[in-house]
Amino acid sequence: PTVAAAVEEAEDGTMIEVAAGHREALQGPLILDRAVLIEGPRSAPDGSSLRSCDLPLLTGEESVIVAAGSARNRVMLRRVRLRMSGGVPAVLVAGGCTLEECEIESLHGVGVEVASHAGDSVRIVRTLVHGCQVGISLAGGASAAALEGSQVRSCSCGVSLIGLSVDEGWSDALSSVAGVSVFDSLRADLRVQAWSVRERVSGVVREAPPGEEVAIMGWPTEHCTVVAPTNHGPVVLHVKGGSVNATLFEDEEDLSGAPSQSEGGSESGGVTEYAEVAPA
């Protein structure tokens, strides 16, 4: 029996238990469009503590696609390894889903991609994502998923956010994703696109230019400062963990004290990169 065959026959509420050491090459996308739990073993075959090599391994060139509705825990993957090639997302989430104690890898692709219409019913818990172009991509912004005790390692970009809306001053806009640990990123621990900042007094919303992104190194453990361009002048974002402080400037104002290209960042192809760490 295979996981793919079990999923094909599953009804809502089905639990699929996968034995330690199971290996399966998927022949196409694995579409999870019903409420199912796919669970690996709690311990190694000899009763010892579970190791990475004991986890069931699913490989392939197409994604595991979660599309079983928006309710929380509609689909659960627990103690499973996914290793995808071909540049595709290993897991593409378009509905309620929990990934718990999994190990996920996507060569030249995204480890976990959460679609913009997935809502806020996605949890990635104590899961390792590694060896990807982008570890975790949240197309719906920081509120699209809760990252709890998970790790992202050895990816070009650790966490990518598309959409970050904050008010001038301090906010906890990144609180749902700050529970992740990011290690050994090549380009960015956190990358943000399509940000916007609402001015406190006027209510005007400043928006990022199309195609622009900022790349931050040191997040979430270090206090980082980045300059983010908008259509009404630059914004300085101070970021640490789940907290963001947005300070507004007009186009003609002096940004002395904010990181410049020579002091902490560079610009190339619409990407503004900063790795400046402010004093604690």
Side-chain angles (χ1 to χ4, degrees):
T2 65
V3 172
V7 167
E8 183 69 23
E9 298 175 1
E11 300 178 351
D12 273 349
T14 297
M15 177 179 178
I16 301 171
E17 294 183 324
V18 191
H22 176 82
R23 301 290 183 267
E24 182 175 337
L26 301 173
Q27 301 304 306
L30 184 65
I31 301 175
L32 307 177
D33 56 1
R34 280 151 283 187
V36 296
L37 164 61
I38 300 176
E39 184 174 47
R42 294 181 179 273
S43 61
D46 61 2
S48 62
S49 298
L50 200 65
R51 300 167 299 172
S52 175
C53 61
D54 297 318
L55 295 177
L57 174 63
L58 305 181
T59 62
E61 296 184 352
E62 298 189 60
S63 303
V64 174
I65 301 173
V66 177
S70 60
R72 292 180 183 273
N73 298 326
R74 284 286 292 174
V75 171
M76 296 187 68
L77 297 177
R78 182 181 292 149
R79 296 187 294 276
V80 176
R81 292 173 68 196
L82 302 174
R83 181 184 297 155
M84 302 304 175
S85 58
V88 302
V91 185
L92 177 58
V93 181
C97 176
T98 296
L99 303 174
E100 185 175 351
E101 298 178 356
C102 293
E103 183 176 328
I104 298 171
E105 182 179 1
S106 180
L107 184 63
H108 305 307
V110 178
V112 182
E113 181 169 326
V114 180
S116 60
H117 54 277
D120 60 353
S121 55
V122 179
R123 297 173 65 231
I124 304 175
V125 183
R126 298 185 298 279
T127 287
L128 171 62
V129 182
H130 64 100
C132 307
Q133 187 69 21
V134 177
I136 299 173
S137 176
L138 305 178
S143 63
L147 310 183
E148 304 169 16
S150 293
Q151 295 185 14
V152 179
R153 289 185 177 270
S154 302
C155 297
S156 180
C157 170
V159 177
S160 174
L161 299 181
I162 303 176
L164 177 65
S165 298
V166 299
D167 291 336
E168 180 183 359
W170 283 102
S171 72
D172 60 354
L174 298 177
S175 60
S176 65
V177 296
V180 70
S181 298
V182 184
F183 303 96
D184 303 324
S185 301
L186 296 179
R187 293 290 304 273
D189 293 327
L190 175 67
R191 184 177 69 194
V192 183
Q193 299 170 277
W195 59 86
S196 63
V197 179
R198 184 174 62 182
E199 297 181 7
R200 183 186 299 112
V201 176
S202 68
V204 170
V205 176
R206 301 188 181 197
E207 297 180 340
E212 193 75 26
E213 58 187 51
V214 292
I216 304 172
M217 296 296 289
W219 181 84
T221 58
E222 298 174 349
H223 190 161
C224 309
T225 300
V226 300
V227 177
T230 75
N231 57 345
H232 292 290
V235 175
V236 177
L237 301 177
H238 303 279
V239 182
K240 184 174 183 181
S243 300
V244 180
N245 183 23
T247 303
L248 307 182
F249 292 88
E250 301 302 330
D251 283 320
E252 66 274 9
E253 285 193 59
D254 180 20
L255 285 179
S256 59
S260 67
Q261 293 183 35
S262 61
E263 293 173 334
S266 62
E267 294 190 10
S268 176
V271 182
T272 305
E273 301 177 21
Y274 292 101
E276 173 126 332
V277 181

